[in-house]
Amino acid sequence: MKQIFIILAIFLLSSCAELQQVVNNLPQTTTGGFGLSNVDISNGLRQALDNGIDKQVTKLTQKDGFYRNQLVKILLPQELRKVDKTLRDVGLSKLADEGLKAINRAAEDAVKEATPIFVGAVKQITFNDAKQILLGNDRAATQYLENKTRSQLYQKFNPVINKSFSKVGADKIWSNIIRKYNAIPLTNNVNPDLTDYVTGEALKGVYAMIAVEEKEIRTKLSSRTTDLLRRVFALQDR
């Protein structure tokens, strides 16, 4: 079975007919002349995800890592957008901006705290996982990681987000925003819990940035910065 998995991985981008023709003619060995073992392929996928964390996810931990990144910037949930609009309409744009920055700051803080958990999950990738990823689309590695870690990371992110709200002052800012909004005549009072929402958006941002690096490695030779990455991802180029 392992031989079949390797052959399938080599011809990821081939049609079914082309794949069958090549399968019938390739050597029946684990490395098949390509010099790659099951361990090599698994390690190559780990390197790709590690690169996504090192090069892309760490950007989110910096000041404005979320707020200035249009791909992952956290906007207000739908039910609070009326709050934002109303505040701006009555001349409180600066306060509205502070509120938006505060929830993005909390996300930046959470990613900084939880990244080691992500790294640990990458280490658990097996060859069976790796062959499925190589057979997948441009986001297959990211999807694997999301399926494998989302529940655990949510449990880790959520309390960090909650703590970060206090650390970056988001709790006070939003308390002030909601109080001012509720004091405006003819508005319906709101009192949302932002922790769950920001936790979910922070996770989306993390996976989105990993997907950026995965696509780069899959589609650009210059992004394969190690010999192992070049050898493993060359399989899908054949």
Side-chain angles (χ1 to χ4, degrees):
M1 292 297 291
K2 290 181 180 178
Q3 292 91 332
I4 295 174
F5 291 153
I6 295 296
I7 293 168
L8 290 174
I10 293 171
F11 291 94
L12 173 63
L13 301 181
S14 300
S15 67
C16 293
E18 291 170 334
L19 177 61
Q20 186 58 54
Q21 182 179 357
V22 174
V23 165
N24 293 335
N25 291 291
L26 279 177
Q28 298 299 306
T29 61
T30 302
T31 59
F34 296 100
L36 289 169
S37 68
N38 298 349
V39 172
D40 290 332
I41 293 174
S42 300
N43 287 340
L45 267 297
R46 292 190 191 103
Q47 275 193 16
L49 287 170
D50 283 339
N51 278 10
I53 294 169
D54 291 340
K55 294 177 62 177
Q56 301 294 345
V57 176
T58 53
K59 294 178 182 178
L60 300 178
T61 67
Q62 301 167 8
K63 183 178 180 181
D64 289 330
F66 274 86
Y67 188 69
R68 299 291 183 187
N69 185 338
Q70 294 305 310
L71 179 64
V72 298
K73 181 179 180 179
I74 301 176
L75 303 177
L76 294 177
Q78 190 63 44
E79 62 271 21
L80 280 183
R81 289 177 190 174
K82 62 181 180 180
V83 177
D84 183 87
K85 183 179 185 303
T86 301
L87 289 174
R88 296 181 190 280
D89 288 345
V90 298
L92 294 173
S93 294
K94 184 177 180 179
L95 180 62
D97 288 339
E98 288 178 358
L100 198 57
K101 286 181 182 179
I103 62 175
N104 281 272
R105 291 285 184 272
E108 293 158 13
D109 202 44
V111 174
K112 186 183 302 181
E113 296 288 337
T115 294
I117 299 167
F118 231 153
V119 174
V122 172
K123 294 178 180 178
Q124 303 305 313
I125 291 177
T126 65
F127 172 68
N128 285 336
D129 298 326
K131 58 94 178 177
Q132 293 290 343
I133 291 169
L134 281 174
L135 285 168
N137 57 34
D138 284 352
R139 212 176 182 276
T142 305
Q143 290 170 342
Y144 160 80
L145 198 58
E146 183 170 359
N147 292 337
K148 198 78 171 178
T149 66
R150 187 174 185 86
S151 178
Q152 180 188 5
L153 284 176
Y154 180 92
Q155 296 302 318
K156 296 294 183 180
F157 269 50
N158 192 265
V160 175
I161 291 284
N162 192 47
K163 182 179 179 180
S164 294
F165 276 157
S166 297
K167 181 178 178 180
V168 303
D171 54 345
K172 293 180 180 178
I173 291 172
W174 274 100
S175 176
N176 187 30
I177 287 175
I178 298 303
R179 185 173 63 254
K180 287 183 180 295
Y181 174 80
N182 288 341
I184 297 172
L186 304 179
T187 59
N188 296 321
N189 288 359
V190 295
N191 186 28
D193 177 7
L194 287 176
T195 303
D196 177 73
Y197 172 76
V198 175
T199 299
E201 294 300 298
L203 285 170
K204 287 180 185 178
V206 167
Y207 295 124
M209 296 305 290
I210 289 176
V212 167
E213 185 65 19
E214 178 182 2
K215 186 174 182 179
E216 288 282 305
I217 290 174
R218 285 186 183 272
T219 60
K220 294 183 180 180
L221 296 177
S222 60
S223 294
R224 302 170 188 176
T225 55
T226 69
D227 179 63
L228 184 58
L229 284 176
R230 286 188 287 273
R231 291 164 62 207
V232 169
F233 281 91
L235 297 179
Q236 69 172 11
D237 300 333
R238 294 177 182 273

